[in-house]
Structures are given as C-alpha cells and as structure tokens.
Amino acid sequence: MTMERHRRAWLAAMPLLFVALWSTGFIGAKFGLPYAEPFTFLSVRFVLTLLLLVPLVILLGGDWPRSPALWGHAAVSGLLVHGAYLGGVFYGIELGMPAGLASLLVGLQPLLTAALSGPLLGERLVPRQWLGLVVGLVGVALVLGGKRDPGTALFAGFGVAALGAVVVALVGISLGTLYQKHFCAGMPLLGGTVAQYLGAGALLGLGALTFETRAIDWTPTFLLTLGWLVLVLSISAILLLMTLIERGEASRVASLFYLVPPATALEAWWLFDERLPALSLIGMAVAITGVVMAVRGRP
C-alpha cells in the first residue's frame, strides 16, 4: 500500500517537476554565459546532447523519422524551435536582458502561435482569443514599465538589441511550432528530437563560426552548468515529457507551462538579485492570463 501511495505521489508530481526543470534553462544561461559566447555555448551543448541522445534512442529501441523528407522537416522545425529560440534567448541574456523578463517574453509563444495560426493554418480565432492577445500585450507593457527606473529609457540596462534577440526567439519558436504541426505529423519523439537537434546545432554552429571567437573558459561553474543543461534539460526533461505524454498528461503539462515565467523570475531574484517591482509582478500575472485566454479560447 505504501509503494502504491509513493507511485501515485510521484505521478502527481511529474508535471510540476518537468516545469520546474524547464524553468532552470534561463538560469543556466545566466550562469554559463560569462565563460562562453552564446552560440559557442549552445553548439557545445547540442554536440554533447547528441552524443548521449543517439545511443539512448538505440538502447531504448526508439523509432527514427520514416523518410528523408520527415528528417528534413524535423531539422527545419528544430532550427526554429531550438536554434532560433535558444540562440535568441542566450544572446539576449548575454546583452543584459534579465532572465525573468526573457522567460516572460518567450512565454508568450502560445499567444503568438494562436495569432499566427489564422493566416498560416487557416484557423479562425474566437473573440476570447483576440481579447487574450490584447491582455497579453498589456501585461508585457506593464512588465517593461515596472523594470524601468524613473527618468531612464524604457530599455535601460539591456538595450533594444537584447529585446530584438528575444523577439527573434519568440517568433522562432512560434513559427517552429506551427511548422512542426503542419509538416511533422507522426514524428517519433526521441528520434525526431535527434533530427531537431541536428538542425539547431547546424544553425548555432554556423553562428559561432561566423560571429564569435569560440573561446571557452572551462571553469567548474561552466562545466556544472553545461552538465545540467545537457543531462537535466536536453535529456531528462525530454524523457520526462515523453512519459507524461504516454500517460495522457500532455494537457496538464501545457497548463503548467504558464508557471515557467514566474518560476524563472523567482529563481533569478533569489540567485542574481534581479528586481521584481510590484508593477512587473502585476504585468506578469496579466500577461499569463492573456496567454491562457488565447490558448483556451477555442471552442
């Protein structure tokens, strides 16, 4: 009976654990970027992840994409979902964007995806979704206003370039989600993830070769951060997600994703003393409400 209780408690905690792990990705960027440039950092992360993930797929008897076309589509979706997304986030944080704010902005991905699904996929938005889009944008404006000190520029502390990089991340993951929905039906989770990481790694590797010196300071902090991002996020979180999907918990995970921005903001406040003004907290709650309305507005 005790074993059964423990099993049920573990199953109940799995979705929250997944979101808690996912939120640490932004914190990992903050810890690791002092020791490596963003595209170089991510390129090394993806190479190590692939070296571990490919044998894992073989060991678990996982399926691979069934055709060259599906391999290509998976690689393109990975280029957008992982490459543009993580590259934009890491570059924005490198330029001074607070980790909590970066998490909030890219956390608007379901909202932007809902807005783009109409013109790109022919899905019609209901009035509640349009209201959610407006509410989400108001929330972001409140967060940005709360981050500004009186008498300073709106983007003081991180600049327009950092904001632009995170916007690229937001657009990349939103378009990537729609692309994957349209072109990657039936893509096996683990085998498809390998194809996605190959596409993302190619983009980030090109960025590192073109724009960066590729110098890395192999300090203990960097090694621990890199190990966490590879083993905990890129491998363990994906396996945890696969288990949740197999048990029919995907909708619960999607709902809990709304907790990622506030979780990241709290972690950044605790670890890096990033400010959490009252107006920003209110704006975060408003933005998350807008995302929920946009995503759940479909009849």
Side-chain angles (χ1 to χ4, degrees):
M1 195 66 178
T2 301
M3 289 291 294
E4 180 64 20
R5 274 203 309 269
H6 288 166
R7 188 184 73 86
R8 290 181 179 178
W10 166 244
L11 292 177
M14 284 172 65
L16 187 59
L17 175 62
F18 172 77
V19 173
L21 294 179
W22 202 256
S23 69
T24 64
F26 301 91
I27 304 303
K30 192 86 170 181
F31 269 117
L33 284 172
Y35 309 102
E37 295 160 296
F39 301 146
T40 300
F41 187 2
L42 288 169
S43 297
V44 173
R45 172 181 170 180
F46 280 123
V47 168
L48 293 177
T49 299
L50 286 168
L51 289 175
L52 294 174
L53 189 58
V54 171
L56 187 61
V57 177
I58 297 172
L59 182 65
L60 295 177
D63 295 328
W64 299 98
R66 296 184 303 273
S67 66
L70 189 54
W71 273 96
H73 287 312
V76 171
S77 70
L79 184 150
L80 294 168
V81 170
H82 298 296
Y85 166 64
L86 288 175
V89 167
F90 274 56
Y91 191 60
I93 292 176
E94 167 79 0
L95 294 177
M97 170 78 73
L101 181 56
S103 172
L104 170 69
L105 292 177
V106 296
L108 296 175
Q109 175 263 325
L111 188 151
L112 183 58
T113 301
L116 294 174
S117 63
L120 295 182
L121 298 182
E123 297 179 359
R124 190 168 61 89
L125 299 185
V126 299
R128 183 177 177 182
Q129 287 180 286
W130 285 112
L131 179 60
L133 299 180
V134 174
V135 170
L137 293 176
V138 170
V140 172
L142 290 174
V143 171
L144 292 174
K147 285 287 183 180
R148 184 180 62 175
D149 293 324
T152 63
L154 179 59
F155 306 119
F158 56 89
V160 177
L163 181 64
V166 176
V167 169
V168 168
L170 171 60
V171 173
I173 193 172
S174 300
L175 292 177
T177 299
L178 294 172
Y179 186 94
Q180 182 169 329
K181 180 179 179 180
H182 189 68
F183 292 106
C184 300
M187 183 185 77
L189 181 61
L190 284 181
T193 300
V194 169
Q196 288 186 323
Y197 284 168
L198 286 171
L203 174 67
L204 295 166
L206 180 62
L209 289 171
T210 305
F211 301 111
E212 297 180 348
T213 66
R214 299 172 299 285
I216 298 176
D217 187 4
W218 297 94
T219 65
T221 298
F222 178 76
L223 290 172
L224 288 172
T225 301
L226 184 62
W228 177 272
L229 293 176
V230 170
L231 296 173
V232 176
L233 265 76
S234 297
I235 302 293
S236 300
I238 290 295
L239 292 176
L240 185 58
L241 176 61
M242 180 177 65
T243 304
L244 291 169
I245 291 173
E246 288 177 350
R247 293 184 173 274
E249 295 285 347
S251 61
R252 187 176 181 184
V253 174
S255 298
L256 286 171
F257 259 111
Y258 306 135
L259 297 176
V260 171
T264 302
L266 288 173
E267 292 164 4
W269 167 74
W270 179 48
L271 293 169
F272 308 115
D273 198 29
E274 288 189 1
R275 291 175 58 245
L276 286 172
L279 185 60
S280 291
L281 290 173
I282 294 171
M284 187 176 294
V286 172
I288 293 170
T289 300
V291 172
V292 173
M293 292 173 65
V295 172
R296 295 187 175 180
R298 289 185 177 87

